[in-house]
């Protein structure tokens, strides 16, 4: 009898363990992991994003320094893509016109589009150039209020990138009355407001700045 118990007990234990292992676990899925409706996981690859799109991807906030300024402006212009050419022929990450590129010393468009380093240099050079042209206006109008927002150096320079320094002078000197827009409907005032408050003092004004 004792011998039978010694033999049968291990067999019973093995049977119990095997049975437990084969039994499916009855676990409830946490409510936080259940999906009850379609979920947006990413923006459709080939669908263009517009201001009216229900899901707008916004640039990460990377501070109010020059880097934050240039990346925010680039995102607005091209979503930060170096190879973009828009329907009006504006080029690259910062959407330069051919005339502006020639002013800063760039004549080969294909080389410009394929060279991110050159695009960054063109952007810095154009800021230095616009700062020189607008130096008196920056000094006079920075801190003043036009409409419902204050004027800042970075806002003025962003608007000059959009519409050219001459048109920004007209806007400031008419206290906002001469508020023109580009072909896509973006106004000088919207850029002055959107890109206000960045510190771009590291780039100094330079007369006839060229690469």
């Amino acid at each position: 009898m004792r011998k039978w118990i010694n033999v049968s007990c291990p067999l019973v234990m093995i049977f119990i363990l095997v049975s437990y292992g084969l039994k499916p676990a009855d676990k409830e899925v946490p409510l936080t992991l259940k999906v009850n409706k379609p979920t947006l996981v990413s923006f459709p690859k080939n669908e263009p994003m517009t201001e009216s799109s229900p899901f707008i991807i916004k640039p990460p906030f990377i501070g109010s320094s020059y880097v934050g300024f240039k990346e925010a402006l680039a995102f607005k212009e091209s979503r930060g893509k170096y190879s973009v050419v828009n329907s009006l022929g504006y080029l690259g990450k910062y959407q330069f016109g051919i005339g502006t590129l020639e002013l800063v010393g760039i004549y080969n468009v294909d080389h410009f589009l394929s060279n991110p380093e050159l695009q960054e240099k063109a952007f810095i050079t154009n800021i230095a150039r616009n700062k020189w042209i607008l130096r008196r206006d920056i000094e006079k109008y920075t801190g003043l209020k036009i409409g419902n927002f204050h004027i800042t150096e970075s806002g003025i320079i962003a608007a000059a990138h959009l519409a050219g320094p001459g048109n920004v002078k007209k806007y400031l000197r008419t206290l906002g009355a001469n508020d023109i827009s580009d072909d896509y409907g973006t106004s000088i005032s919207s850029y002055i407001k959107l890109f206000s408050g960045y510190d771009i003092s590291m780039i100094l004004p330079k007369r006839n700045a060229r690469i």
Side-chain angles (χ1 to χ4, degrees):
M1 181 68 176
R2 186 174 181 181
K3 182 178 180 180
W4 180 85
I5 293 174
N6 290 337
V7 173
S8 61
C9 282
L11 293 174
V12 171
M13 291 298 295
I14 291 172
F15 177 78
I16 293 172
L17 291 173
V18 171
S19 299
Y20 179 81
L22 294 175
K23 185 179 180 180
D26 185 17
K27 293 184 179 180
E28 179 69 18
V29 177
L31 290 176
T32 55
L33 297 180
K34 289 184 176 180
V35 178
N36 299 314
K37 59 183 179 179
T39 303
L40 180 70
V41 293
S42 64
F43 200 88
K45 183 177 179 181
N46 296 316
E47 183 176 333
M49 290 180 291
T50 65
E51 296 298 329
S52 61
S53 298
F55 304 103
I56 299 297
I57 301 174
K58 296 183 178 180
F61 178 72
I62 52 178
S64 57
S65 66
Y66 166 71
V67 173
F69 172 75
K70 77 181 186 71
E71 292 304 323
L73 184 57
F75 188 87
K76 176 66 175 174
E77 292 286 335
S78 69
R79 304 296 180 190
K81 298 176 181 178
Y82 288 104
S83 60
V84 168
V85 179
N86 76 3
S87 59
L88 298 175
Y90 288 89
L91 309 159
K93 180 178 177 180
Y94 302 102
Q95 292 292 278
F96 279 102
I98 292 176
T100 302
L101 290 178
E102 291 178 349
L103 285 175
V104 299
I106 297 172
Y107 301 95
N108 188 325
V109 171
D110 292 332
H111 179 59
F112 174 76
L113 278 175
S114 63
N115 192 325
E117 183 179 356
L118 183 59
Q119 292 191 33
E120 297 295 340
K121 287 181 179 178
F123 186 67
I124 291 175
T125 303
N126 195 49
I127 288 178
R129 174 181 169 273
N130 286 337
K131 273 194 173 188
W132 174 266
I133 296 171
L134 291 162
R135 63 194 185 282
R136 293 189 179 91
D137 298 275
I138 290 171
E139 182 178 356
K140 181 178 180 179
Y141 293 100
T142 293
L144 298 182
K145 194 173 183 180
I146 295 179
N148 62 350
F149 54 87
H150 288 90
I151 304 300
T152 67
E153 181 185 53
S154 61
I156 290 173
I157 294 302
H161 184 83
L162 172 76
N167 286 318
V168 174
K169 280 187 178 185
K170 292 176 182 177
Y171 171 85
L172 294 171
R173 294 175 186 184
T174 60
L175 299 180
N178 191 45
D179 187 14
I180 67 169
S181 301
D182 68 5
D183 290 330
Y184 296 113
T186 305
S187 64
I188 288 176
S189 60
S190 69
Y191 261 44
I192 288 179
K193 182 178 181 180
L194 183 61
F195 297 105
S196 67
Y198 288 92
D199 180 6
I200 56 173
S201 58
M202 63 167 286
I203 302 176
L204 301 177
K206 186 176 179 179
R207 184 176 185 177
N208 297 325
R210 291 173 69 86
I211 293 176

